Amino acid sequence: MKYFIYFLLILLSLIGCQSQELGDIFNMLSANDKTLPCLLSLNVESTNSASAQFDEDIVVVKATLDGEKLQYKKLSSSKLQLTFPKPLSVSEAKELYLIVEDLHGNSSSFIFTISGRNDRIPNIKITEFSSKGTATQPDRIELLAYTEGNTEGIYCANGTKGNETFGFTLPSIDVKRGDYIVIYWSSKPEKESFTNNTGNTTYQIEAKSSVKLATNNGCFVLYDTISGNGEIIDALVYSDNEATTYSGFGNAKVEKSYKELVADFEWIDEPVYSKHTTSTRTINRFNGTDDTNRNIDFYICDTKCLTFGNSNNEKIYTPPAE
């Protein structure tokens, strides 16, 4: 009881202090939690706004986008809605800077690269993949649109965000259900588009990568924003199981990508077995099947049965008996 009285006397003696100074001394004497506020999520909801959720009640100290002050409002004591001064471009990244304080005066700062969210992104999947390309059959990635939409802002990379060695963004293409996009990873297509065997359009895109796709052990990931901080649209992981390091991938970034995909349930199984792939034996997705994020969604097509830009040939390669 006497300690409580001493404490009250100290507080009363500080009545003349400024409120901030009083709060700081109160925090020190009462041994308040000194942990920093933590950002739980940041979601770009449209080209005009984003929301930020924190793990405790916060006060905004600073909020800017590329140095320009942002308007904001509290949706709750721990959640903000940020309004951009002008609509974000889907194909251009901006720097978001936040400084917040909790109710005990502990502050945290955050810097993010963000872009506008395309609300017309189609349901699109990786349907054919070649990583052992040659001059005549180069490295390519085929994407099939299962619904209509627009591809602007889809980020394509040979790893999860931060673990890729190259990534690029699809341009604005209005696709219909059944249209294909074939990405020429480190080579140039002969033409921009053609009519495929179903009467739909196949668009051919040059990624201009300076690095080839990983031959035997790698992954390929599609994000719904150019910053790579959005949702994963689709992913493919492949390995020949012959490397002796990094969980059989032989590469730390590929291993980390795989583990992140598994942790997010974007890949649930062992990688697709890639040992028997060649420039004309590609990794293909079975036609018309559900996407389960497992290796059973894919198969190795038979020799010379690759079909980039058209429906997959489902003749499966059977390796010779050893």
Side-chain angles (χ1 to χ4, degrees), residues 99-161:
I99 301 177
V100 300
E101 284 186 354
D102 64 16
L103 301 185
H104 303 302
N106 303 308
S107 65
S108 295
S109 60
F110 308 91
I111 299 177
F112 295 96
T113 300
I114 64 172
S115 61
R117 182 179 294 277
N118 179 357
D119 59 7
R120 293 189 59 236
I121 287 180
N123 178 4
I124 198 165
K125 300 296 178 186
I126 302 164
T127 47
E128 189 165 6
F129 184 87
S130 171
S131 62
K132 296 181 180 178
T134 63
T136 56
Q137 299 292 349
D139 286 354
R140 284 165 287 180
I141 305 97
E142 177 190 86
L143 311 177
L144 171 61
Y146 287 74
T147 61
E148 68 175 20
N150 184 278
T151 62
E152 184 179 11
I154 295 178
Y155 184 69
C156 312
N158 61 350
T160 55
K161 188 61 179 177

Short mmCIF file of all heavy atoms in Angstrom, two decimals, residues 99-161:
data_model
loop_
_atom_site.label_atom_id
_atom_site.label_comp_id
_atom_site.label_asym_id
_atom_site.label_seq_id
_atom_site.Cartn_x
_atom_site.Cartn_y
_atom_site.Cartn_z
N ILE A 99 4.91 5.52 -40.28
CA ILE A 99 5.43 5.51 -38.91
C ILE A 99 4.22 5.54 -37.98
O ILE A 99 3.34 6.40 -38.11
CB ILE A 99 6.32 6.73 -38.61
CG1 ILE A 99 7.51 6.78 -39.55
CG2 ILE A 99 6.82 6.66 -37.16
CD1 ILE A 99 8.41 8.01 -39.34
N VAL A 100 4.15 4.59 -37.06
CA VAL A 100 3.04 4.53 -36.11
C VAL A 100 3.59 4.36 -34.70
O VAL A 100 4.70 3.86 -34.50
CB VAL A 100 2.06 3.38 -36.43
CG1 VAL A 100 1.45 3.54 -37.81
CG2 VAL A 100 2.75 2.02 -36.31
N GLU A 101 2.79 4.79 -33.72
CA GLU A 101 3.11 4.61 -32.31
C GLU A 101 1.99 3.85 -31.62
O GLU A 101 0.82 3.99 -31.99
CB GLU A 101 3.27 5.96 -31.61
CG GLU A 101 4.55 6.69 -31.89
CD GLU A 101 4.68 7.95 -31.04
OE1 GLU A 101 3.70 8.28 -30.32
OE2 GLU A 101 5.74 8.60 -31.10
N ASP A 102 2.36 3.05 -30.63
CA ASP A 102 1.32 2.44 -29.81
C ASP A 102 0.97 3.40 -28.67
O ASP A 102 1.51 4.52 -28.59
CB ASP A 102 1.74 1.06 -29.30
CG ASP A 102 2.94 1.10 -28.37
OD1 ASP A 102 3.28 2.18 -27.85
OD2 ASP A 102 3.55 0.04 -28.13
N LEU A 103 0.09 3.00 -27.80
CA LEU A 103 -0.39 3.90 -26.74
C LEU A 103 0.63 4.16 -25.66
O LEU A 103 0.42 5.01 -24.78
CB LEU A 103 -1.68 3.32 -26.13
CG LEU A 103 -2.84 3.11 -27.11
CD1 LEU A 103 -4.09 2.66 -26.37
CD2 LEU A 103 -3.11 4.38 -27.92
N HIS A 104 1.76 3.43 -25.69
CA HIS A 104 2.84 3.65 -24.72
C HIS A 104 3.99 4.44 -25.32
O HIS A 104 5.03 4.58 -24.70
CB HIS A 104 3.36 2.31 -24.20
CG HIS A 104 2.29 1.46 -23.57
ND1 HIS A 104 1.53 1.88 -22.52
CD2 HIS A 104 1.85 0.21 -23.88
CE1 HIS A 104 0.66 0.93 -22.18
NE2 HIS A 104 0.83 -0.08 -23.00
N GLY A 105 3.80 4.93 -26.56
CA GLY A 105 4.84 5.75 -27.18
C GLY A 105 5.89 4.98 -27.95
O GLY A 105 6.85 5.56 -28.47
N ASN A 106 5.75 3.63 -28.03
CA ASN A 106 6.69 2.84 -28.82
C ASN A 106 6.36 3.00 -30.30
O ASN A 106 5.20 2.86 -30.69
CB ASN A 106 6.59 1.36 -28.43
CG ASN A 106 6.82 1.14 -26.95
OD1 ASN A 106 7.81 1.59 -26.40
ND2 ASN A 106 5.87 0.47 -26.30
N SER A 107 7.35 3.30 -31.12
CA SER A 107 7.10 3.57 -32.53
C SER A 107 7.78 2.55 -33.45
O SER A 107 8.83 2.00 -33.13
CB SER A 107 7.55 4.98 -32.91
OG SER A 107 8.96 5.11 -32.78
N SER A 108 7.16 2.31 -34.59
CA SER A 108 7.71 1.44 -35.63
C SER A 108 7.54 2.12 -36.97
O SER A 108 6.57 2.86 -37.20
CB SER A 108 6.99 0.08 -35.67
OG SER A 108 7.19 -0.66 -34.50
N SER A 109 8.48 1.88 -37.88
CA SER A 109 8.38 2.43 -39.23
C SER A 109 8.39 1.29 -40.24
O SER A 109 8.99 0.24 -40.01
CB SER A 109 9.53 3.40 -39.51
OG SER A 109 10.78 2.75 -39.40
N PHE A 110 7.71 1.50 -41.36
CA PHE A 110 7.55 0.47 -42.37
C PHE A 110 7.68 1.09 -43.76
O PHE A 110 7.15 2.18 -44.01
CB PHE A 110 6.17 -0.21 -42.27
CG PHE A 110 5.84 -0.70 -40.89
CD1 PHE A 110 5.16 0.10 -39.98
CD2 PHE A 110 6.20 -1.98 -40.49
CE1 PHE A 110 4.85 -0.36 -38.71
CE2 PHE A 110 5.90 -2.45 -39.22
CZ PHE A 110 5.22 -1.63 -38.33
N ILE A 111 8.39 0.40 -44.65
CA ILE A 111 8.52 0.83 -46.04
C ILE A 111 8.09 -0.34 -46.93
O ILE A 111 8.59 -1.46 -46.77
CB ILE A 111 9.95 1.25 -46.39
CG1 ILE A 111 10.38 2.44 -45.52
CG2 ILE A 111 10.05 1.64 -47.87
CD1 ILE A 111 11.82 2.87 -45.77
N PHE A 112 7.18 -0.08 -47.85
CA PHE A 112 6.69 -1.12 -48.76
C PHE A 112 6.67 -0.60 -50.18
O PHE A 112 6.46 0.60 -50.42
CB PHE A 112 5.26 -1.55 -48.38
CG PHE A 112 5.14 -2.20 -47.05
CD1 PHE A 112 4.78 -1.46 -45.94
CD2 PHE A 112 5.38 -3.56 -46.91
CE1 PHE A 112 4.68 -2.06 -44.70
CE2 PHE A 112 5.29 -4.16 -45.67
CZ PHE A 112 4.93 -3.41 -44.56
N THR A 113 6.85 -1.51 -51.13
CA THR A 113 6.62 -1.21 -52.53
C THR A 113 5.25 -1.74 -52.90
O THR A 113 4.97 -2.92 -52.72
CB THR A 113 7.69 -1.87 -53.42
OG1 THR A 113 8.97 -1.38 -53.05
CG2 THR A 113 7.43 -1.56 -54.89
N ILE A 114 4.38 -0.86 -53.37
CA ILE A 114 3.01 -1.25 -53.68
C ILE A 114 2.64 -0.78 -55.08
O ILE A 114 3.31 0.07 -55.68
CB ILE A 114 2.00 -0.70 -52.67
CG1 ILE A 114 1.96 0.82 -52.71
CG2 ILE A 114 2.31 -1.20 -51.27
CD1 ILE A 114 0.84 1.43 -51.88
N SER A 115 1.58 -1.34 -55.60
CA SER A 115 1.03 -0.91 -56.89
C SER A 115 -0.47 -1.10 -56.84
O SER A 115 -1.01 -1.74 -55.93
CB SER A 115 1.62 -1.75 -58.03
OG SER A 115 1.31 -3.12 -57.85
N GLY A 116 -1.17 -0.56 -57.83
CA GLY A 116 -2.60 -0.74 -57.90
C GLY A 116 -2.97 -2.19 -58.17
O GLY A 116 -2.19 -2.93 -58.77
N ARG A 117 -4.13 -2.58 -57.73
CA ARG A 117 -4.59 -3.95 -57.94
C ARG A 117 -5.56 -4.00 -59.12
O ARG A 117 -6.54 -3.26 -59.18
CB ARG A 117 -5.28 -4.48 -56.69
CG ARG A 117 -5.74 -5.93 -56.80
CD ARG A 117 -6.40 -6.38 -55.52
NE ARG A 117 -5.44 -6.42 -54.43
CZ ARG A 117 -4.61 -7.43 -54.21
NH1 ARG A 117 -4.62 -8.48 -54.99
NH2 ARG A 117 -3.78 -7.39 -53.20
N ASN A 118 -5.24 -4.87 -60.06
CA ASN A 118 -6.11 -5.09 -61.20
C ASN A 118 -7.27 -5.98 -60.76
O ASN A 118 -7.06 -7.14 -60.39
CB ASN A 118 -5.31 -5.76 -62.33
CG ASN A 118 -6.14 -6.07 -63.56
OD1 ASN A 118 -7.34 -5.84 -63.59
ND2 ASN A 118 -5.49 -6.61 -64.57
N ASP A 119 -8.49 -5.45 -60.79
CA ASP A 119 -9.64 -6.23 -60.32
C ASP A 119 -10.26 -7.08 -61.43
O ASP A 119 -11.32 -7.67 -61.24
CB ASP A 119 -10.70 -5.33 -59.68
CG ASP A 119 -11.22 -4.26 -60.62
OD1 ASP A 119 -10.86 -4.27 -61.82
OD2 ASP A 119 -11.99 -3.40 -60.17
N ARG A 120 -9.57 -7.16 -62.59
CA ARG A 120 -10.07 -7.99 -63.69
C ARG A 120 -9.08 -9.10 -64.06
O ARG A 120 -9.10 -9.62 -65.18
CB ARG A 120 -10.34 -7.13 -64.93
CG ARG A 120 -11.49 -6.14 -64.77
CD ARG A 120 -11.83 -5.49 -66.10
NE ARG A 120 -12.20 -6.50 -67.10
CZ ARG A 120 -11.60 -6.63 -68.29
NH1 ARG A 120 -10.58 -5.85 -68.62
NH2 ARG A 120 -12.00 -7.56 -69.14
N ILE A 121 -8.23 -9.49 -63.13
CA ILE A 121 -7.28 -10.56 -63.43
C ILE A 121 -8.03 -11.87 -63.64
O ILE A 121 -8.86 -12.25 -62.81
CB ILE A 121 -6.25 -10.70 -62.28
CG1 ILE A 121 -5.27 -9.53 -62.34
CG2 ILE A 121 -5.49 -12.03 -62.38
CD1 ILE A 121 -4.22 -9.55 -61.28
N PRO A 122 -7.76 -12.56 -64.73
CA PRO A 122 -8.48 -13.81 -65.01
C PRO A 122 -7.96 -14.96 -64.15
O PRO A 122 -6.88 -14.88 -63.57
CB PRO A 122 -8.17 -14.07 -66.49
CG PRO A 122 -6.82 -13.45 -66.69
CD PRO A 122 -6.79 -12.23 -65.79
N ASN A 123 -8.74 -16.02 -64.08
CA ASN A 123 -8.25 -17.27 -63.50
C ASN A 123 -7.29 -17.86 -64.53
O ASN A 123 -7.70 -18.31 -65.59
CB ASN A 123 -9.42 -18.21 -63.24
CG ASN A 123 -8.97 -19.55 -62.67
OD1 ASN A 123 -7.79 -19.75 -62.39
ND2 ASN A 123 -9.90 -20.46 -62.51
N ILE A 124 -6.01 -17.82 -64.22
CA ILE A 124 -4.99 -18.21 -65.18
C ILE A 124 -4.02 -19.20 -64.53
O ILE A 124 -3.68 -19.06 -63.35
CB ILE A 124 -4.27 -16.96 -65.72
CG1 ILE A 124 -3.54 -17.24 -67.01
CG2 ILE A 124 -3.38 -16.33 -64.68
CD1 ILE A 124 -3.13 -15.98 -67.76
N LYS A 125 -3.61 -20.22 -65.29
CA LYS A 125 -2.77 -21.29 -64.73
C LYS A 125 -1.59 -21.59 -65.66
O LYS A 125 -1.65 -21.38 -66.87
CB LYS A 125 -3.58 -22.57 -64.53
CG LYS A 125 -4.76 -22.43 -63.58
CD LYS A 125 -4.32 -22.10 -62.17
CE LYS A 125 -5.52 -21.93 -61.24
NZ LYS A 125 -5.09 -21.47 -59.90
N ILE A 126 -0.53 -22.11 -65.05
CA ILE A 126 0.62 -22.60 -65.81
C ILE A 126 0.24 -23.96 -66.39
O ILE A 126 -0.09 -24.89 -65.65
CB ILE A 126 1.86 -22.75 -64.90
CG1 ILE A 126 2.21 -21.42 -64.24
CG2 ILE A 126 3.04 -23.32 -65.68
CD1 ILE A 126 3.15 -21.53 -63.07
N THR A 127 0.29 -24.09 -67.72
CA THR A 127 -0.17 -25.33 -68.35
C THR A 127 0.92 -26.07 -69.13
O THR A 127 0.75 -27.25 -69.44
CB THR A 127 -1.35 -25.06 -69.30
OG1 THR A 127 -1.06 -23.94 -70.13
CG2 THR A 127 -2.62 -24.75 -68.48
N GLU A 128 2.01 -25.42 -69.45
CA GLU A 128 3.13 -26.11 -70.10
C GLU A 128 4.40 -25.35 -69.77
O GLU A 128 4.40 -24.11 -69.72
CB GLU A 128 2.93 -26.22 -71.61
CG GLU A 128 3.96 -27.10 -72.29
CD GLU A 128 3.56 -27.50 -73.71
OE1 GLU A 128 2.52 -27.00 -74.22
OE2 GLU A 128 4.29 -28.31 -74.32
N PHE A 129 5.50 -26.10 -69.56
CA PHE A 129 6.72 -25.48 -69.03
C PHE A 129 7.94 -26.19 -69.58
O PHE A 129 8.05 -27.41 -69.51
CB PHE A 129 6.71 -25.57 -67.50
CG PHE A 129 7.85 -24.88 -66.81
CD1 PHE A 129 7.77 -23.53 -66.50
CD2 PHE A 129 8.99 -25.57 -66.47
CE1 PHE A 129 8.82 -22.90 -65.85
CE2 PHE A 129 10.04 -24.96 -65.82
CZ PHE A 129 9.96 -23.60 -65.51
N SER A 130 8.87 -25.41 -70.12
CA SER A 130 10.11 -25.95 -70.66
C SER A 130 11.29 -25.22 -70.06
O SER A 130 11.38 -23.99 -70.15
CB SER A 130 10.15 -25.80 -72.19
OG SER A 130 11.42 -26.14 -72.69
N SER A 131 12.22 -25.97 -69.43
CA SER A 131 13.40 -25.35 -68.82
C SER A 131 14.71 -25.92 -69.38
O SER A 131 15.77 -25.62 -68.85
CB SER A 131 13.36 -25.56 -67.30
OG SER A 131 13.41 -26.93 -66.99
N LYS A 132 14.60 -26.72 -70.42
CA LYS A 132 15.81 -27.28 -71.05
C LYS A 132 15.84 -26.89 -72.52
O LYS A 132 16.00 -27.70 -73.42
CB LYS A 132 15.85 -28.80 -70.88
CG LYS A 132 15.97 -29.24 -69.42
CD LYS A 132 16.02 -30.75 -69.29
CE LYS A 132 16.13 -31.17 -67.82
NZ LYS A 132 16.14 -32.64 -67.63
N GLY A 133 15.63 -25.59 -72.73
CA GLY A 133 15.47 -25.08 -74.08
C GLY A 133 16.73 -25.14 -74.93
O GLY A 133 17.86 -25.22 -74.44
N THR A 134 16.51 -25.08 -76.23
CA THR A 134 17.57 -25.01 -77.24
C THR A 134 17.27 -23.84 -78.16
O THR A 134 16.28 -23.12 -77.97
CB THR A 134 17.63 -26.31 -78.06
OG1 THR A 134 16.38 -26.45 -78.78
CG2 THR A 134 17.84 -27.52 -77.16
N ALA A 135 18.10 -23.65 -79.17
CA ALA A 135 17.87 -22.57 -80.12
C ALA A 135 16.55 -22.74 -80.86
O ALA A 135 15.86 -21.77 -81.17
CB ALA A 135 19.03 -22.47 -81.10
N THR A 136 16.19 -23.99 -81.15
CA THR A 136 14.96 -24.25 -81.90
C THR A 136 13.75 -24.45 -80.99
O THR A 136 12.61 -24.23 -81.41
CB THR A 136 15.13 -25.48 -82.80
OG1 THR A 136 15.52 -26.60 -81.98
CG2 THR A 136 16.19 -25.22 -83.86
N GLN A 137 13.97 -24.90 -79.77
CA GLN A 137 12.89 -25.09 -78.79
C GLN A 137 13.29 -24.39 -77.50
O GLN A 137 13.77 -25.00 -76.56
CB GLN A 137 12.65 -26.59 -78.55
CG GLN A 137 12.23 -27.39 -79.76
CD GLN A 137 10.84 -27.01 -80.25
OE1 GLN A 137 10.09 -26.30 -79.59
NE2 GLN A 137 10.48 -27.49 -81.44
N PRO A 138 13.09 -23.07 -77.45
CA PRO A 138 13.60 -22.28 -76.30
C PRO A 138 12.78 -22.50 -75.03
O PRO A 138 11.69 -23.07 -75.04
CB PRO A 138 13.47 -20.85 -76.81
CG PRO A 138 12.33 -20.90 -77.78
CD PRO A 138 12.43 -22.24 -78.46
N ASP A 139 13.32 -21.98 -73.93
CA ASP A 139 12.60 -21.99 -72.66
C ASP A 139 11.31 -21.18 -72.80
O ASP A 139 11.33 -20.02 -73.21
CB ASP A 139 13.45 -21.35 -71.55
CG ASP A 139 14.58 -22.24 -71.09
OD1 ASP A 139 14.64 -23.40 -71.54
OD2 ASP A 139 15.40 -21.78 -70.28
N ARG A 140 10.19 -21.80 -72.42
CA ARG A 140 8.89 -21.13 -72.53
C ARG A 140 8.00 -21.54 -71.37
O ARG A 140 8.14 -22.63 -70.82
CB ARG A 140 8.19 -21.50 -73.85
CG ARG A 140 8.75 -20.81 -75.07
CD ARG A 140 8.28 -21.46 -76.35
NE ARG A 140 8.93 -22.74 -76.58
CZ ARG A 140 8.70 -23.52 -77.62
NH1 ARG A 140 7.79 -23.16 -78.52
NH2 ARG A 140 9.34 -24.67 -77.76
N ILE A 141 7.06 -20.65 -71.06
CA ILE A 141 6.04 -20.93 -70.05
C ILE A 141 4.69 -20.61 -70.68
O ILE A 141 4.47 -19.49 -71.15
CB ILE A 141 6.22 -20.06 -68.78
CG1 ILE A 141 7.63 -20.22 -68.21
CG2 ILE A 141 5.17 -20.43 -67.74
CD1 ILE A 141 8.60 -19.13 -68.63
N GLU A 142 3.81 -21.59 -70.68
CA GLU A 142 2.47 -21.40 -71.25
C GLU A 142 1.46 -21.17 -70.14
O GLU A 142 1.42 -21.91 -69.16
CB GLU A 142 2.08 -22.63 -72.06
CG GLU A 142 0.67 -22.56 -72.65
CD GLU A 142 0.24 -23.89 -73.23
OE1 GLU A 142 -0.27 -24.73 -72.46
OE2 GLU A 142 0.45 -24.10 -74.44
N LEU A 143 0.64 -20.16 -70.31
CA LEU A 143 -0.44 -19.84 -69.38
C LEU A 143 -1.77 -19.95 -70.12
O LEU A 143 -1.89 -19.49 -71.25
CB LEU A 143 -0.28 -18.43 -68.82
CG LEU A 143 1.09 -18.03 -68.27
CD1 LEU A 143 1.07 -16.57 -67.82
CD2 LEU A 143 1.50 -18.95 -67.13
N LEU A 144 -2.76 -20.54 -69.46
CA LEU A 144 -4.09 -20.68 -70.05
C LEU A 144 -5.09 -19.88 -69.21
O LEU A 144 -5.12 -20.01 -67.98
CB LEU A 144 -4.51 -22.15 -70.09
CG LEU A 144 -5.97 -22.44 -70.48
CD1 LEU A 144 -6.27 -21.93 -71.89
CD2 LEU A 144 -6.25 -23.95 -70.38
N ALA A 145 -5.90 -19.06 -69.88
CA ALA A 145 -6.96 -18.30 -69.20
C ALA A 145 -8.20 -19.17 -69.09
O ALA A 145 -8.77 -19.58 -70.10
CB ALA A 145 -7.26 -17.03 -69.98
N TYR A 146 -8.62 -19.44 -67.85
CA TYR A 146 -9.83 -20.23 -67.60
C TYR A 146 -11.07 -19.34 -67.54
O TYR A 146 -12.19 -19.83 -67.60
CB TYR A 146 -9.70 -21.02 -66.30
CG TYR A 146 -8.73 -22.19 -66.40
CD1 TYR A 146 -7.36 -21.99 -66.45
CD2 TYR A 146 -9.20 -23.49 -66.44
CE1 TYR A 146 -6.48 -23.05 -66.54
CE2 TYR A 146 -8.33 -24.57 -66.53
CZ TYR A 146 -6.97 -24.34 -66.59
OH TYR A 146 -6.10 -25.39 -66.69
N THR A 147 -10.84 -18.03 -67.41
CA THR A 147 -11.93 -17.05 -67.44
C THR A 147 -11.45 -15.84 -68.22
O THR A 147 -10.25 -15.67 -68.45
CB THR A 147 -12.34 -16.61 -66.02
OG1 THR A 147 -11.21 -15.98 -65.39
CG2 THR A 147 -12.82 -17.78 -65.18
N GLU A 148 -12.37 -14.98 -68.60
CA GLU A 148 -11.96 -13.75 -69.27
C GLU A 148 -11.44 -12.75 -68.25
O GLU A 148 -11.70 -12.86 -67.05
CB GLU A 148 -13.13 -13.15 -70.05
CG GLU A 148 -14.25 -12.61 -69.19
CD GLU A 148 -15.32 -11.93 -70.00
OE1 GLU A 148 -15.41 -12.18 -71.22
OE2 GLU A 148 -16.09 -11.13 -69.41
N GLY A 149 -10.67 -11.78 -68.72
CA GLY A 149 -10.13 -10.76 -67.83
C GLY A 149 -9.01 -10.00 -68.51
O GLY A 149 -8.87 -10.02 -69.74
N ASN A 150 -8.19 -9.36 -67.68
CA ASN A 150 -7.07 -8.57 -68.18
C ASN A 150 -5.82 -8.92 -67.39
O ASN A 150 -5.87 -9.07 -66.17
CB ASN A 150 -7.37 -7.07 -68.06
CG ASN A 150 -6.27 -6.21 -68.65
OD1 ASN A 150 -5.27 -5.95 -68.00
ND2 ASN A 150 -6.46 -5.77 -69.88
N THR A 151 -4.69 -9.05 -68.07
CA THR A 151 -3.47 -9.56 -67.44
C THR A 151 -2.54 -8.49 -66.88
O THR A 151 -1.49 -8.83 -66.32
CB THR A 151 -2.67 -10.39 -68.47
OG1 THR A 151 -2.29 -9.53 -69.57
CG2 THR A 151 -3.49 -11.55 -69.00
N GLU A 152 -2.90 -7.22 -66.99
CA GLU A 152 -1.99 -6.17 -66.56
C GLU A 152 -1.64 -6.32 -65.08
O GLU A 152 -2.50 -6.47 -64.23
CB GLU A 152 -2.61 -4.79 -66.79
CG GLU A 152 -1.65 -3.65 -66.44
CD GLU A 152 -2.25 -2.28 -66.69
OE1 GLU A 152 -3.47 -2.21 -66.92
OE2 GLU A 152 -1.49 -1.29 -66.65
N GLY A 153 -0.34 -6.28 -64.79
CA GLY A 153 0.12 -6.33 -63.40
C GLY A 153 0.44 -7.71 -62.88
O GLY A 153 0.91 -7.85 -61.75
N ILE A 154 0.20 -8.78 -63.65
CA ILE A 154 0.56 -10.13 -63.19
C ILE A 154 2.08 -10.25 -63.21
O ILE A 154 2.72 -10.07 -64.25
CB ILE A 154 -0.09 -11.22 -64.06
CG1 ILE A 154 -1.61 -11.18 -63.91
CG2 ILE A 154 0.45 -12.60 -63.67
CD1 ILE A 154 -2.34 -12.20 -64.78
N TYR A 155 2.65 -10.55 -62.07
CA TYR A 155 4.11 -10.66 -61.93
C TYR A 155 4.53 -12.12 -62.07
O TYR A 155 4.02 -12.98 -61.35
CB TYR A 155 4.54 -10.10 -60.57
CG TYR A 155 6.03 -10.08 -60.35
CD1 TYR A 155 6.84 -9.22 -61.08
CD2 TYR A 155 6.63 -10.92 -59.42
CE1 TYR A 155 8.21 -9.18 -60.88
CE2 TYR A 155 8.00 -10.89 -59.20
CZ TYR A 155 8.79 -10.01 -59.94
OH TYR A 155 10.15 -9.98 -59.74
N CYS A 156 5.45 -12.39 -62.98
CA CYS A 156 5.92 -13.74 -63.29
C CYS A 156 7.38 -13.85 -62.88
O CYS A 156 8.20 -13.03 -63.33
CB CYS A 156 5.78 -14.04 -64.78
SG CYS A 156 4.18 -13.61 -65.51
N ALA A 157 7.74 -14.85 -62.09
CA ALA A 157 9.11 -14.91 -61.57
C ALA A 157 9.56 -16.36 -61.38
O ALA A 157 8.76 -17.25 -61.15
CB ALA A 157 9.20 -14.17 -60.24
N ASN A 158 10.88 -16.55 -61.45
CA ASN A 158 11.46 -17.87 -61.23
C ASN A 158 11.79 -18.08 -59.75
O ASN A 158 12.87 -18.55 -59.39
CB ASN A 158 12.70 -18.09 -62.10
CG ASN A 158 13.80 -17.09 -61.82
OD1 ASN A 158 13.61 -16.11 -61.10
ND2 ASN A 158 14.97 -17.32 -62.39
N GLY A 159 10.85 -17.74 -58.88
CA GLY A 159 10.98 -17.90 -57.45
C GLY A 159 9.96 -17.04 -56.74
O GLY A 159 9.32 -16.18 -57.36
N THR A 160 9.78 -17.26 -55.45
CA THR A 160 8.90 -16.40 -54.68
C THR A 160 9.54 -15.02 -54.53
O THR A 160 10.75 -14.85 -54.75
CB THR A 160 8.61 -16.99 -53.29
OG1 THR A 160 9.85 -17.26 -52.62
CG2 THR A 160 7.80 -18.27 -53.40
N LYS A 161 8.73 -14.03 -54.16
CA LYS A 161 9.23 -12.66 -54.10
C LYS A 161 10.42 -12.55 -53.15
O LYS A 161 10.36 -12.97 -52.01
CB LYS A 161 8.11 -11.72 -53.64
CG LYS A 161 8.48 -10.24 -53.75
CD LYS A 161 8.79 -9.84 -55.16
CE LYS A 161 9.12 -8.35 -55.25
NZ LYS A 161 9.50 -7.95 -56.61
#
